[in-house]
Amino acid sequence: MLAVVAHPDDIDFAAAGTVASWTKAGIEVHYCVVTDGQEGGFEPERDRADIPAVRRAEQTAAAEHVGVTDLHFLGYADGAVDPTRELVRDIVRVIRQVRPQRVISSSPERNWERLQVSHPDHLAAGEATLRACYPAAGNPYAFTELTEAAWDVNELWLVEHPEVNHYVDITDTIDQKIAALLSHTSQHRNPDDLAARMRQLAQRRAGLAGLPKTSYAEPFTVIRWGI
């Protein structure tokens, strides 16, 4: 499985509980992070030149909480992501290297009910990932400058899409999700409040999924083709 997201912490907010359930089941998971999150944080005294290294370290630590050790950082500028040919190529390269059966990324469609999750970088990363998954990664005549062999992706999981069609029960991994989120220490003004809010959100989503009241869940839009 390969997750492609715009910023460090995006995967943890959206799907760390699901990722933890997959790694517990023996599934190999890789992260591909498009930017280094240079525009994030609440530390005005910190030298902004240090932010890329800080955020990569935080994402690496967060990934360890959910059983992920393979991370690919693309190094694009935060706040300036577009679904360019170059970005699509770089994602195609990672797909062909990892050869995943499943890719997870941000929705390329704006969610007007939760506008804060539709950061322009999220939309752009989602669009670039969709283009990389189909048709580019599996087309041997696309991006012929790459040395990796073509690889077909047949399953895409979108987070924060307006139309949810699948929920994952993360009751057994909610603590890992919270630990992953709290690893991004430069990004949280009030860690205790964040943990409580994320538990409440996951519990509401479990209710929408028809799970017991004590459950937690993460929502997705799952798209399959070519199967």
Side-chain angles (χ1 to χ4, degrees):
M1 202 286 292
L2 172 67
V4 184
V5 292
H7 311 110
D9 79 15
D10 285 350
I11 190 64
D12 299 308
F13 274 106
T18 298
V19 169
S21 71
W22 288 340
T23 60
K24 280 187 173 182
I27 297 173
E28 180 181 340
V29 180
H30 290 242
Y31 287 173
C32 176
V33 185
V34 174
T35 81
D36 290 326
Q38 298 95 325
E39 293 189 356
F42 304 98
E43 300 174 316
E45 71 284 356
R46 187 187 290 275
D47 187 336
R48 300 307 295 179
D50 295 338
I51 294 299
V54 169
R55 300 215 62 186
R56 289 192 183 199
E58 289 175 346
Q59 182 61 89
T60 300
E64 290 178 357
H65 282 293
V66 295
V68 176
T69 57
D70 295 296
L71 291 86
H72 310 258
F73 294 100
L74 299 186
Y76 281 73
D78 188 5
V81 180
D82 288 308
T84 61
R85 184 184 190 280
E86 291 73 22
L87 178 55
V88 175
R89 177 204 61 208
D90 290 347
I91 296 171
V92 166
R93 178 187 290 112
V94 176
I95 289 173
R96 291 179 180 179
Q97 290 171 344
V98 174
R99 303 172 77 80
Q101 295 174 307
R102 175 181 298 159
V103 171
I104 181 170
S105 191
S106 302
S107 172
E109 296 185 36
R110 185 167 276 110
N111 187 336
W112 292 107
E113 292 186 0
R114 299 188 71 237
L115 187 59
Q116 69 274 23
V117 303
S118 296
H119 187 292
D121 285 355
H122 296 182
L123 304 180
E127 178 62 32
T129 302
L130 178 57
R131 296 183 193 182
C133 287
Y134 181 81
N139 181 358
Y141 307 110
F143 300 105
T144 54
E145 66 270 30
L146 298 179
T147 60
E148 295 82 4
W151 176 257
D152 287 317
V153 175
N154 297 124
E155 189 171 306
L156 178 64
W157 289 42
L158 298 177
V159 301
E160 303 299 352
H161 190 70
E163 300 175 5
V164 173
N165 64 12
H166 184 69
Y167 289 88
V168 174
D169 186 339
I170 62 165
T171 306
D172 292 339
T173 57
I174 184 67
D175 289 341
Q176 288 174 264
K177 176 184 177 74
I178 299 302
L181 279 169
L182 295 181
S183 296
H184 300 278
T185 55
S186 69
Q187 305 303 298
H188 306 314
R189 286 174 170 156
N190 188 336
D192 292 338
D193 179 65
L194 171 70
R197 286 189 292 108
M198 293 308 299
R199 288 180 185 277
Q200 290 168 1
L201 178 61
Q203 203 159 38
R204 287 201 301 271
R205 287 169 164 172
L208 294 173
L211 295 170
K213 292 182 179 180
T214 55
S215 301
Y216 300 94
E218 290 174 334
F220 300 91
T221 302
V222 179
I223 302 162
R224 298 181 178 92
W225 64 95
I227 300 175

